[in-house]
Amino acid sequence: MTIEYIPESQRQGGIEEFGLPWQGITLPRELLDRHGARILDPWAVALDPGERRPDSTVYRSHVLLFPGQALVSDEAVSWIDSALSRLGLRLSRESVERARGRDFGDETVWVPGVLEIAGQDVEVDAWRALRVLRRALRDESDGWPFKAPLGTISLDHLFVGSATSGIGSLDLGGEPATSGHAVVDEPGMGARPGYGRIPLTVVAGPPRRRSLDDLGGPRITVVTLDTGVARYHPWFRPVTEPDAFLSVDPAGQQQIEDTHPAYADRDIARLVGYEDLGQPSNPLVGTLNSHAGHGLMLAGLVAQIAPDARVLMYKVMHSDGVVPGEAVHAALDRLLSRMDAGAAVDVLCCSFGGFSEAGDPAMQALFNKVNQLRARGVIVVNAAGNYATARPFYLAALSETAVPGPPLAPMIGVAAKNPDGTIAIFSNQHPAVRWRAPGAMVVSTFPPQFQGAQNAPLSTGERAALDADAVGPFCGWSGTSFAAPIVAGAIAAELTKTIGQVGVDPVERARTVIDTMINDKVVRPEIVPI
């Protein structure tokens, strides 16, 4: 296994900003309905004079993200309701009360505000509401204390763990499982092994892990934001055991649950607990959700490279691959508070991303939050995305963005390679994505209790062909989602060598480790031939 760093930023030629390669977001109607979401169509929106046409994105149709501190003020809430009344809308009272029940401290904390109908029956569209608020703000004086914070209100974007329903309509076969089965083809259509989940047999046991006494210091902590942990896997001890490789934070998970938008009249998918439950998308058919087991794959990859580290996982991704923006903010807020209380976080791995309607500024709030972690020495690793596009995929597209002020720990974007070293056909590209790691048919851990409904093509009594839906404790799967934890694991292994160092600034340590990996030209985990 090798990891490559590209010294020179990839040069982009001209690209067509609109049309299928640029817009290419195609999520199934049932998935949008499950999360109360819609896709922004750039060609269906009116433009103000001099306004740039937005790009496509996915967002909750009834929700905006507000700086929580603004919702504490009666004046600010009254102003918001007055502006929204032009559309026949207002902020839900429950959203305001929930915001006022939190302690925000000095840092900006983002909370979801649900839009509700104030009078007659009208269509609720967060994009239209956001535009009305922004227009109203232009008429306010610069001296109004709420003009700056309310100017940062944004859509509640939904990120994805992979190209959930393929790469537009091009059918390149490069996305992880699309129908819920372990193969790319639809059931009964001559299914073949491809880039999706494939059950595999691993004859080796888990890698050897040194004890804390042998290690001589605290373990390096890699945080993953994903689908949660499995109830059981033969490689991992229970998450509740002391010094378990795979661990959780129940109080932090509850904080994520509590940020779920407060809908009064509709039910949308909700993150519950820290386990990856792997619910079937269609109980009658029994097909597995497209991202069931995604989180455990990440943990197993880190374990193979850096067994002396530990993985702390927060569940922010549904098993259908959707990651709500408010859940990501809540997880990052929890990490910041834990670090301020003395807990260690060394690497953050984000195997998800999304497209923004307005370029970098739309993701600035999330970027600012991540930068607070980087200022504390956390190295951030982001998946490049699986849409085979050069369109900015966030957060990876911000990995090389300069930040004024003191140096920060590195933030890197990771593309996927095939086993032969070529770039995987599904992998995104962008000037900020400077790292490449194996991401096509990598082998890792999978929840053994998950079973889909597809039958083996041939079965005669006790003998049967390989059933691609009869998943066991291991599988092969593809995506930049898995290239990112491989790099995160390599970083954790390198950081492990620094355990025991005293008086080292965490940001300086992080930058030195990444520089060392870059200077090695090709990064290889330590392998001892037998």
Side-chain angles (χ1 to χ4, degrees), residues 53-117:
R53 188 170 297 280
D55 301 320
S56 56
T57 191
V58 185
Y59 63 99
R60 291 201 196 272
S61 59
H62 286 58
V63 181
L64 289 172
L65 287 184
F66 293 85
Q69 289 86 340
L71 298 190
V72 173
S73 164
D74 289 336
E75 180 184 354
V77 172
S78 295
W79 184 92
I80 293 169
D81 283 342
S82 176
L84 291 176
S85 66
R86 303 172 193 178
L87 296 175
L89 304 175
R90 68 171 188 173
L91 267 179
S92 77
R93 299 306 93 182
E94 186 176 356
S95 296
V96 175
E97 292 306 315
R98 286 177 62 176
R100 293 180 176 181
R102 293 185 59 177
D103 179 15
F104 296 115
D106 297 329
E107 300 293 344
T108 301
V109 176
W110 297 90
V111 297
V114 177
L115 308 174
E116 63 180 19
I117 297 172

Side-chain angles (χ1 to χ4, degrees), residues 12 23 80 131 226 242 246 263 268 294 300 304 306 336 369 470:
Q12 285 184 272
Q23 285 182 243
I80 293 169
R131 287 172 59 80
D226 220 270
L246 189 54
Y263 278 94
I268 60 174
H294 193 267
Q304 293 175 60
L336 288 166
K369 193 71 63 68

Side-chain angles (χ1 to χ4, degrees), residues 277-460:
L277 302 177
Q279 301 100 328
S281 54
N282 186 330
L284 180 64
V285 177
T287 54
L288 292 179
N289 260 334
S290 62
H291 289 67
H294 193 267
L296 201 66
M297 283 284 296
L298 270 61
L301 290 168
V302 176
Q304 293 175 60
I305 301 171
D308 290 328
R310 62 187 287 261
V311 167
L312 172 61
M313 186 175 298
Y314 289 93
K315 181 178 174 181
V316 302
M317 185 187 296
H318 294 268
S319 58
D320 58 18
V322 171
V323 181
E326 75 274 357
V328 178
H329 273 286
L332 297 178
D333 286 334
R334 176 62 177 179
L335 289 179
L336 288 166
S337 65
R338 280 174 59 93
M339 293 191 75
D340 289 343
V345 176
D346 302 287
V347 185
L348 172 64
C349 183
C350 299
S351 286
F352 59 85
F355 299 116
S356 166
E357 77 282 0
D360 295 357
M363 293 294 163
Q364 191 63 45
L366 194 57
F367 188 47
N368 291 344
K369 193 71 63 68
V370 168
N371 288 340
Q372 293 177 45
L373 289 169
R374 296 171 64 196
R376 291 162 169 80
V378 180
I379 300 171
V380 181
V381 183
N382 303 298
N386 304 335
Y387 285 83
T389 180
R391 181 180 173 185
F393 188 78
Y394 300 97
L395 286 166
L398 294 171
S399 296
E400 294 287 315
T401 301
V403 179
L408 302 176
M411 175 167 160
I412 63 181
V414 186
K417 298 195 302 179
N418 291 311
D420 65 358
T422 56
I423 301 173
I425 195 170
F426 55 80
S427 187
N428 287 358
Q429 65 183 67
H430 188 270
V433 177
R434 307 276 287 274
W435 295 74
R436 296 172 183 161
M441 291 312 298
V442 297
V443 178
S444 189
T445 50
F446 192 84
Q449 62 269 27
F450 290 176
Q451 297 293 318
Q454 182 171 313
N455 296 319
L458 178 64
S459 178
T460 57

Side-chain angles (χ1 to χ4, degrees), residues 45-48 51 126-136:
V45 298
L47 300 180
D48 292 338
E51 185 179 10
W127 170 249
R128 292 183 63 203
L130 180 61
R131 287 172 59 80
V132 164
L133 290 171
R134 287 175 175 171
R135 287 168 180 157

Side-chain angles (χ1 to χ4, degrees), residues 205-227:
R208 178 182 176 274
R209 190 177 195 229
R210 289 180 288 177
S211 68
L212 284 171
D213 289 340
D214 291 339
L215 201 58
R219 298 191 185 279
I220 297 300
T221 298
V222 178
V223 173
T224 60
L225 310 181
D226 220 270
T227 57

